[in-house]
Amino acid sequence: MMHRKGLKRSLAMLLVFVFVFSLAAVQASAADATEPVRVNANGNVGDNSQTYDNVTIAEMEETSPEGQPLPHSPAVIVYAEDGKSAEVTVNEDISANANTGETTGTEGVAVHAVEAGSSASAEVGGDITVQAVNDSFGVRAVAAPVTHEQPGAGAEGGTVQVTVDGNINTTVTGTGDSAHAIGIMTSSANGGNTTVSVGGDVSATSGSDAIGVLSEINVGGTASTSVGGDVSVEGGKDADGIKVYGSGVNTAVSVKGDVSAKANQAEGINAYSGANSNVAVSVAGSVDSQGDEYASGVFAYAAANNADITVSVGKNVTSSSTDRNTGIIGVQVEADNGGNGVVSVGGDVKVEAAGNGNGIAAMVVNSGEATIDIGGSVTAEGANGLGVTAALTNVSDSAKVAVSVDKDVQGMDAGLYVEVTGDQISAALADITVGGTLSAKDEEGAAIMVSEQVTEDNLKLTVWQIDLNATGDAVVEKTGVQDGKLITETNETTKAIEQNINYIIKIEQPNAGATLKAVKKDGSALEKSGDYEVAKEGETVLMKVNVQDGYEVTGAFNGLGEKVELLKDEAGNYFVVVPKGGAVYLSATVKEIQKEDTGYVYIPPAAQNAAKAAEIATAVKAEAEAVKTVEKADATNEKGEIVVVAIGTLDEKTATETMKKDYKNLEERLVDATKALGTNAQAVVPAAIKAEVAEGAAIVVSQPFRSIASEYPATVTIQLDNADSFVGLMAFINGKWVKLDTVINDDGTVTYVLTEPSVLSFVSQQKTA
């Protein structure tokens, strides 16, 4: 089902072609060169340094002065061995043209260092442009034990450094097997270190095969390549934007722009890591591959134990193909025999295929771990497209596939396909997270499709929404293919997998006035799956609303787009039962309460007007005097009636931090309640009046009664000793006393629903004797 184009080894011999002739030291001043530049440092020639303005080779010779064939003749060669150093500086451009010979290839710069302590470098201030019929390179940098006396000798690699300020362009017009166009090639071995840095773009075009950045034949060394612009390649047969092969080596390639590849078979990034290797590829922009028969955006293969490979793409990955008989892949990670492969994409992955198209393919063979993280959506168009494929095959030890997609995943036949085979099925785990909707575009498909051996223990699925198929199923089992069509069924295993799905609970917070929180039915925190709060099908989720002072909730809903009003349970909590398919999206509408104008204006103590500040100070003093009369019962108003005010305080033992904060805010704003009740009214506490508040409140009737609850709305109940004596209920909210509408219940109680922290005064009166 998956296709991987193998790494070609035909380029290996090119490492030695350029060194078949004798190198000689060149003495030159800073001037233009129209003949090939040869700078050599070895046992016969000491350290050598040369500088040129431009190197322009109009026509390459097919034979050397000694009559030897030159199938590969560079414009600039820098060679060092025996612990010596050689360097070339070209202030401006290098141009090499080898189109005169039918078998001739060329290079802009070839830099080679053999043996520890040897160093070779080239610095180019402008562009490198190469044109030829056959194998050609813009830059070839080798720190490997290959000498002109004996290719493959056991010498250690030296140090190679190439810097190009401008662009590299390689064009090959040939169409045969020896017509490779390479922008940059790096190799290192046996402790060698190769570094290539390009400030601009790298492009390669060939009638056969084209590669933008090639880093291979790396065994036991270090190779690093950086490109400041884009990498673009186009080939008549194959094209690879970036191609990396590492074994027992540290290899890194970074591109600050985009990578694109176009050919019959095209791959944006093709990276391989062998045993004891660390391969890293980073592209800040997007990766695009267009192939007539095959295309792959990113392929990362960790082939053995201690093989690590990491690929990161900052933006999008796209792959497209026009051939119905060949499948294409957006991102593929394969880990075999203990390898570890990781790919991250900051944006979307999109596959457009005439035939099979796989958006994401995460594969483990025998053992290992394949991890893919997508910051956007995954879309797989095509006749038999799959959004995400998780394949764990021939499992013999711990094997894990982890795929995370922040947004939606859609395939043609299936959004997600999971396959497990091998002797240790229980050791296989596909951990899949989809932050959006998981769906299949084909009406005969299914959002989730599994192979026969997959159980609920092999698949951990976390998803916000699943589009159910025509029969209302989320999961089906693939049993075969007949006449080009999938055959699927549902059974006890697929039902068990459905019940094990973790549905993401999303909450849209109001712009202002309240905060929402989702909890379990018993009030405890929801389960977590990664960074998400989740619940399973059939579980009840409560939406807790904490309303700020001066606001009220006008509606609570579930749904994105089309919203459905939430129900309330017996305790007044909003709730939703997680349906099959998920899509829980909680929200609420909140508005600011319009305050009744009582004519009373509250001015804070910090008022600048001295007269008003003095008035407030008088009010505060009056309140303090009123509190002193709490135990008296003979206070009357101007009509000779006893006025009773029920007052209370915060219970510090049961109060939450939020309650304490609200209480303090109320305390700072409290003024004399008697001003709102009458000139001669006094605050008195009758023992018969009791106040009870719904669960979540912390009040005790004894001091000025601040109604503080951890959750709103909360209901306050006042038990009156004599209902006939009840006058009314006053509330101090936002610096004003307002009279509240209340009804006396048959049981002699008065109730009021709190929507915010406030000061309540319960007023009753009796005739005096």
Side-chain angles (χ1 to χ4, degrees):
M1 179 175 57
M2 299 300 166
H3 172 79
R4 177 172 61 85
K5 186 174 61 172
L7 291 168
K8 295 182 176 62
R9 311 306 301 154
S10 63
L11 293 173
M13 291 306 296
L14 291 177
L15 289 172
V16 298
F17 284 167
V18 73
F19 302 108
V20 298
F21 49 86
S22 175
L23 296 172
V26 176
Q27 301 297 326
S29 60
D32 292 342
T34 58
E35 297 293 331
V37 174
R38 307 287 184 259
V39 177
N40 180 33
N42 56 22
N44 299 320
V45 180
D47 295 350
N48 202 340
S49 176
Q50 301 292 333
T51 301
Y52 302 88
D53 285 334
N54 294 279
V55 177
T56 304
I57 312 301
E59 295 183 0
M60 288 291 180
E61 299 293 335
E62 293 190 72
T63 59
S64 70
E66 293 80 10
Q68 296 173 315
L70 295 177
H72 203 71
S73 182
V76 175
I77 291 178
V78 186
Y79 180 84
E81 64 179 353
D82 298 329
K84 301 297 192 300
S85 64
E87 63 181 36
V88 168
T89 300
V90 178
N91 294 325
E92 298 178 27
D93 302 329
I94 294 177
S95 176
N97 188 330
N99 280 320
T100 57
E102 294 182 358
T103 62
T104 305
T106 187
E107 303 178 27
V109 175
V111 184
H112 195 176
V114 175
E115 298 180 350
S118 299
S119 65
S121 65
E123 183 174 346
V124 181
D127 300 332
I128 295 178
T129 304
V130 172
Q131 295 182 353
V133 177
N134 282 325
D135 291 338
S136 296
F137 302 78
V139 169
R140 184 166 59 85
V142 180
V146 180
T147 72
H148 58 279
E149 289 94 359
Q150 183 180 358
E156 295 178 334
T159 300
V160 168
Q161 183 168 346
V162 178
T163 302
V164 180
D165 290 348
N167 306 314
I168 296 177
N169 179 274
T170 304
T171 302
V172 172
T173 59
T175 59
D177 293 338
S178 298
H180 298 83
I182 314 295
I184 301 170
M185 179 180 180
T186 61
S187 294
S188 61
N190 296 355
N193 184 295
T194 301
T195 303
V196 175
S197 175
V198 178
D201 301 331
V202 174
S203 61
T205 305
S206 171
S208 181
D209 297 345
I211 302 175
V213 176
L214 173 65
S215 183
E216 67 169 356
I217 320 179
N218 295 308
V219 181
T222 301
S224 174
T225 306
S226 64
V227 178
D230 299 332
V231 174
S232 59
V233 296
E234 184 170 353
K237 295 180 181 178
D238 295 348
D240 295 88
I242 298 173
K243 192 172 187 177
V244 182
Y245 182 96
S247 181
V249 67
N250 289 324
T251 303
V253 176
S254 66
V255 176
K256 291 185 178 179
D258 301 327
V259 173
S260 63
K262 184 177 182 180
N264 189 49
Q265 296 190 24
E267 291 186 296
I269 299 173
N270 181 357
Y272 170 93
S273 178
N276 303 311
S277 291
N278 191 330
V279 173
V281 179
S282 173
V283 176
S286 296
V287 174
D288 177 71
S289 61
Q290 300 177 46
D292 296 331
E293 292 185 2
Y294 172 78
S296 170
V298 176
F299 173 72
Y301 182 23
N305 192 33
N306 294 324
D308 292 323
I309 188 164
T310 303
V311 177
S312 66
V313 178
K315 296 182 180 178
N316 303 318
V317 173
T318 56
S319 295
S320 60
S321 175
T322 58
D323 193 327
R324 284 189 61 86
N325 297 319
T326 305
I328 64 173
I329 299 172
V331 174
Q332 179 175 345
V333 177
E334 183 173 341
D336 295 356
N337 305 309
N340 181 31
V342 178
V343 171
S344 63
V345 177
D348 300 329
V349 175
K350 187 174 183 179
V351 168
E352 296 178 344
N356 295 335
N358 291 279
I360 299 293
M363 308 171 65
V364 174
V365 179
N366 296 325
S367 63
E369 186 166 345
T371 303
I372 300 176
D373 187 3
I374 309 299
S377 297
V378 176
T379 306
E381 302 284 354
N384 304 108
L386 302 173
V388 173
T389 296
L392 302 100
T393 57
N394 299 323
V395 178
S396 60
D397 201 345
S398 177
K400 182 179 180 181
V401 162
V403 177
S404 176
V405 181
D406 286 357
K407 297 182 180 178
D408 301 332
V409 173
Q410 184 184 70
M412 185 61 70
D413 284 349
L416 169 65
Y417 175 71
V418 181
E419 178 181 0
V420 176
T421 63
D423 297 331
Q424 299 292 329
I425 296 296
S426 60
L429 175 63
D431 188 349
I432 313 297
T433 299
V434 179
T437 301
L438 182 61
S439 64
K441 191 173 182 179
D442 195 324
E443 293 181 357
E444 297 181 358
I448 305 159
M449 188 180 300
V450 298
S451 67
E452 182 180 1
Q453 291 182 289
V454 177
T455 71
E456 65 271 23
D457 295 327
N458 299 129
L459 175 58
K460 177 185 177 184
L461 175 59
T462 301
V463 59
W464 176 63
Q465 180 180 17
I466 294 175
D467 278 355
L468 306 178
N469 65 9
T471 57
D473 296 308
V475 183
V476 299
E477 181 180 304
K478 177 183 176 181
T479 59
V481 179
Q482 184 175 357
D483 297 330
K485 292 186 177 182
L486 285 168
I487 302 174
T488 62
E489 67 174 27
T490 57
N491 48 45
E492 292 302 319
T493 299
T494 61
K495 298 299 182 185
I497 293 174
E498 285 183 348
Q499 291 297 317
N500 199 44
I501 295 172
N502 293 314
Y503 288 107
I504 297 168
I505 308 301
K506 294 187 177 183
I507 297 179
E508 178 186 338
Q509 295 293 343
N511 292 330
T515 55
L516 312 181
K517 182 179 180 181
V519 296
K520 289 183 177 180
K521 187 177 182 179
D522 60 4
S524 61
L526 292 174
E527 301 295 333
K528 296 274 288 186
S529 179
D531 295 330
Y532 293 107
E533 290 184 322
V534 297
K536 290 183 169 56
E537 176 189 342
E539 293 184 348
T540 298
V541 175
L542 302 183
M543 185 178 77
K544 296 290 187 179
V545 184
N546 184 14
V547 185
Q548 298 175 10
D549 188 20
Y551 291 85
E552 63 180 352
V553 175
T554 57
F557 309 93
N558 177 41
L560 180 61
E562 183 178 350
K563 298 185 176 183
V564 178
E565 193 165 358
L566 291 175
L567 299 175
K568 284 187 177 182
D569 61 15
E570 61 278 2
N573 296 309
Y574 297 108
F575 73 94
V576 62
V577 177
V578 179
K580 185 176 183 178
V584 175
Y585 189 93
L586 303 177
S587 63
T589 54
V590 181
K591 74 173 184 178
E592 188 174 3
I593 298 174
Q594 298 300 316
K595 303 299 187 297
E596 180 182 348
D597 188 4
T598 62
Y600 179 85
V601 178
Y602 172 67
I603 302 174
Q608 297 300 313
N609 187 294
K612 290 188 178 297
E615 180 182 342
I616 292 173
T618 301
V620 172
K621 181 179 179 182
E623 179 183 7
E625 293 298 324
V627 172
K628 293 180 182 179
T629 67
V630 160
E631 300 205 351
K632 295 182 179 180
D634 57 357
T636 62
N637 61 15
E638 64 275 15
K639 296 181 180 180
E641 301 169 329
I642 295 178
V643 178
V644 180
V645 181
I647 48 185
T649 188
L650 188 71
D651 183 358
E652 295 287 341
K653 293 182 179 180
T654 62
T656 64
E657 291 302 318
T658 299
M659 293 180 189
K660 292 176 182 178
K661 181 179 179 181
D662 289 339
Y663 181 85
K664 183 178 180 181
N665 290 338
L666 284 172
E667 235 179 0
E668 293 174 352
R669 292 156 44 194
L670 185 63
V671 297
D672 186 6
T674 60
K675 286 193 173 184
L677 303 177
T679 304
N680 300 319
Q682 297 293 330
V684 180
V685 178
I689 294 183
K690 300 178 181 179
E692 298 177 356
V693 181
E695 181 181 0
I699 59 170
V700 174
V701 177
S702 63
Q703 293 295 326
F705 182 9
R706 282 79 162 172
S707 62
I708 306 295
S710 61
E711 299 167 358
Y712 292 92
T715 302
V716 176
T717 303
I718 303 97
Q719 179 66 57
L720 302 175
D721 183 40
N722 181 357
D724 292 337
S725 68
F726 180 70
V727 174
L729 173 61
M730 301 292 291
F732 184 76
I733 303 173
N734 287 337
K736 296 181 181 180
W737 282 99
V738 294
K739 187 172 182 180
L740 304 175
D741 292 331
T742 55
V743 177
I744 301 176
N745 301 318
D746 293 338
D747 59 356
T749 61
V750 175
T751 59
Y752 177 65
V753 177
L754 301 173
T755 58
E756 58 191 319
S758 56
V759 175
L760 300 183
S761 292
F762 307 107
V763 184
S764 65
Q765 63 185 25
Q766 303 171 14
K767 290 183 179 180
T768 56

